[in-house]
Amino acid sequence: MSFRSKKLSLLLLIPFLFQCSKLPDENLLSNVTQELYETTDYIILRSENSTPTKTMIFYPGGLVDPHSYLKWQDQLVSNDQSLQIITVKMPSNLAVITSKKGAKLFDHYPDIKEWYIAGHSLGGAMATNLVDEYPDKLDALIYLAAYPSDERIKNYSGGVLSISAENDGLTTPEDIQERIDDLPEPFQMDSINDFPSEVRGKTMYYEIKGGNHAQFGNYGEQDNDKEATISSDQQQAILVELIQNYLLEL
Amino acid sequence: MRKLILISIILFSVNLAFSQNWRLRSNCYVTTSSDLPLRYIEGISFSGFYSYRFKPDTSILLVNQVYGGLSFSTNSWANHLLAKIGFSPHIKSWKKWSSNADIEIGNGIALFKPKPLYTIDFQSTVYMNYHTLKDNLWGIGLGIQYISTPGYKKYTTIEQFEPNMLLSLRYAF
């Protein structure tokens, strides 16, 4: 994209700066069991009394408050105490404005051995930019109801996990399928334990039956989404177990 | 509740006064890169991290030195819409120089769903102005700003008090 095109794209964003972001239930934070640190730019979740060796950078969905994902993140960190999750706060809650903000974390945690990036919806699409810029630094990319806009990371040698939901009305299963050629070699998972012998250099696809777009977080319903036939707790339990299994395979 | 104080500098602030009664202002605040201990939390250093606030606003002179207007700002976690009222007293004049102040308070909302959150904003700036031959005016300002959204503390482990030191350039014609 040329500099001029980028400037025009930023102008198109101006109307979004006047939009509302979705807040999660205000009791969400009181249920967090792991250590939570927060700055103006980052939310850091990690186990108490442990030194993390793995870090997952997380980009929230567009116009979604970044605290909305703490419930399942808390469970994931609770299950794997070597993992910390750093959610990146985005200007106006739009990852498209500063899609490489997560890169600032690399220098601050020199002892971290494995880096992953995950993102929901727009956040996932923008996470692609960080992988494109730092392919050797990032061991895996995890899409939650998201896909790349082009084939820049088709030859990415790390692992890609694409998690979608059957009743997603915004990032539909058809959308995911249409972009399959933009990502490394596809592998359709039949269950959350169904991995090939080598997951790096491949894209794992898993669709959560009965799930929808909004239930990847806890910010309530979303316009144009379809009705889920499983609860958000059920969807997020599958999500946690799937990510956990995947990280063990890397 | 952990407390965090941010000290910020406006690196870019432009005031355009198209007439004596109407003004458009655009501010972009960037927090200091800071190795400041204030930004250390529980032993985690965040030196070199930046956050920002972009705040365009417009105001109109209401009566005497009192003005009112709307401002919009966006920072790392929310967009804000504020109605503000301010007082802009003249302080002193010299031959080609003058000095005045802006003291304003804004009340409004942080744009959230399902319901917006109340936000209060305070800003005070002192300007030194240089008057050119064509009656144009160039000025530089120094001041402080504070913004708070009390309801958002339910969602965050930090409390934000954000005094900003302003460096402002203004141009009137």
Side-chain angles (χ1 to χ4, degrees):
Chain A
M1 189 185 278
S2 69
F3 181 64
R4 192 171 177 176
S5 306
K6 281 183 180 171
K7 281 200 294 187
L8 283 172
S9 305
L10 287 174
L11 282 176
L12 292 174
L13 283 172
I14 288 175
F16 289 99
L17 301 183
F18 291 90
Q19 293 206 13
C20 297
S21 295
K22 293 179 188 305
L23 278 174
D25 185 289
E26 61 187 41
N27 297 317
L28 193 70
L29 258 75
S30 59
N31 296 322
V32 170
T33 59
Q34 304 302 300
E35 286 290 307
L36 184 67
Y37 307 104
E38 185 161 347
T39 75
T40 50
D41 295 301
Y42 302 94
I43 301 169
I44 300 129
L45 191 65
R46 66 184 191 190
S47 289
E48 193 177 4
N49 304 324
S50 73
T51 305
T53 57
K54 302 182 285 188
T55 295
M56 179 188 288
I57 302 167
F58 185 79
Y59 283 5
L63 297 171
V64 175
D65 184 83
H67 300 90
S68 305
Y69 303 90
L70 280 171
K71 191 170 183 179
W72 64 259
Q73 289 177 347
D74 185 62
Q75 189 61 52
L76 192 57
V77 171
S78 171
N79 294 351
D80 181 354
Q81 301 203 342
S82 63
L83 177 71
Q84 71 174 347
I85 300 178
I86 303 184
T87 301
V88 181
K89 297 180 185 178
M90 298 296 181
S92 299
N93 292 316
L94 289 169
V96 69
I97 297 176
T98 51
S99 64
K100 293 173 186 170
K101 190 173 176 181
K104 292 178 182 176
L105 294 162
F106 296 144
D107 292 339
H108 285 271
Y109 293 101
D111 297 332
I112 294 295
K113 293 184 172 50
E114 290 184 42
W115 287 92
Y116 322 116
I117 183 160
H120 175 222
S121 193
L122 177 68
M126 293 302 110
T128 311
N129 293 347
L130 202 66
V131 174
D132 183 37
E133 188 83 12
Y134 300 93
D136 299 329
K137 190 81 182 172
L138 289 158
D139 294 279
L141 165 63
I142 301 172
Y143 287 124
L144 311 183
Y147 49 80
S149 59
D150 55 35
E151 55 178 25
R152 275 174 301 157
I153 62 162
K154 186 171 178 54
N155 297 317
Y156 173 51
S157 59
V160 181
L161 173 61
S162 173
I163 308 171
S164 56
E166 184 185 28
N167 296 335
D168 191 327
L170 290 110
T171 306
T172 64
E174 292 75 30
D175 292 334
I176 304 280
Q177 285 300 314
E178 278 175 20
R179 303 306 204 290
I180 216 161
D181 290 336
D182 291 340
L183 287 166
E185 183 187 339
F187 180 88
Q188 296 288 348
M189 298 174 66
D190 293 327
S191 74
I192 56 173
N193 296 305
D194 179 26
F195 293 100
S197 55
E198 176 59 62
V199 296
R200 287 180 185 263
K202 294 188 174 69
T203 307
M204 309 290 109
Y205 287 92
Y206 186 81
E207 184 181 281
I208 300 177
K209 301 296 174 197
N212 71 3
H213 195 83
Q215 287 188 171
F216 282 106
N218 288 87
Y219 54 86
E221 295 177 355
Q222 190 158 354
D223 293 344
N224 301 320
D225 203 3
K226 293 179 185 170
E227 193 171 341
T229 54
I230 58 174
S231 69
S232 62
D233 282 351
Q234 287 172 312
Q235 181 167 340
Q236 290 175 21
I238 296 168
L239 177 69
V240 166
E241 199 173 346
L242 177 55
I243 293 175
Q244 205 173 306
N245 293 347
Y246 179 70
L247 297 184
L248 287 172
E249 293 290 327
L250 274 170
Chain B
M1 184 72 78
R2 297 177 184 92
K3 292 186 177 178
L4 177 67
I5 298 178
L6 305 176
I7 296 178
S8 307
I9 295 175
I10 288 189
L11 291 184
F12 176 65
S13 171
V14 174
N15 288 265
L16 294 176
F18 291 106
S19 75
Q20 291 213 331
N21 294 334
W22 189 77
R23 180 174 67 178
L24 179 68
R25 179 164 60 182
S26 169
N27 296 325
C28 187
Y29 306 78
V30 181
T31 58
T32 51
S33 68
S34 91
D35 286 304
L36 291 173
L38 295 170
R39 299 207 70 190
Y40 282 57
I41 304 174
E42 304 281 329
I44 301 174
S45 162
F46 284 94
S47 59
F49 283 8
Y50 297 87
S51 62
Y52 81 103
R53 184 185 310 137
F54 176 60
K55 183 186 176 186
D57 65 21
T58 181
S59 57
I60 190 163
L61 198 65
L62 298 174
V63 56
N64 292 331
Q65 294 162 327
V66 176
Y67 63 92
L70 286 174
S71 81
F72 169 78
S73 80
T74 181
N75 61 11
S76 295
W77 55 80
N79 299 330
H80 307 97
L81 186 62
L82 301 157
K84 62 177 189 174
I85 189 157
F87 179 55
S88 186
H90 175 81
I91 298 173
K92 195 163 184 176
S93 291
W94 296 270
K95 193 173 180 182
K96 282 191 171 183
W97 293 85
S98 68
S99 175
N100 75 300
D102 279 352
I103 303 161
E104 66 185 45
I105 187 165
N107 279 281
I109 52 172
L111 301 176
F112 282 120
K113 286 179 182 173
K115 60 178 182 183
L117 300 177
Y118 171 71
T119 297
I120 187 165
D121 174 276
F122 170 79
Q123 183 168 330
S124 176
T125 314
V126 175
Y127 292 98
M128 281 296 292
N129 308 306
Y130 177 75
H131 301 262
T132 65
L133 289 175
K134 292 179 181 175
D135 239 12
N136 289 343
L137 175 149
W138 293 89
I140 189 161
L142 190 64
I144 57 165
Q145 171 163 308
Y146 168 77
I147 186 166
S148 178
T149 303
Y152 196 63
K153 288 174 186 169
K154 292 172 186 164
Y155 298 94
T156 179
T157 56
I158 61 167
E159 280 184 58
Q160 188 188 12
F161 175 68
E162 198 173 87
N164 294 296
M165 294 184 335
L166 320 184
L167 283 173
S168 169
L169 181 67
R170 56 191 214 156
Y171 179 66
F173 54 95

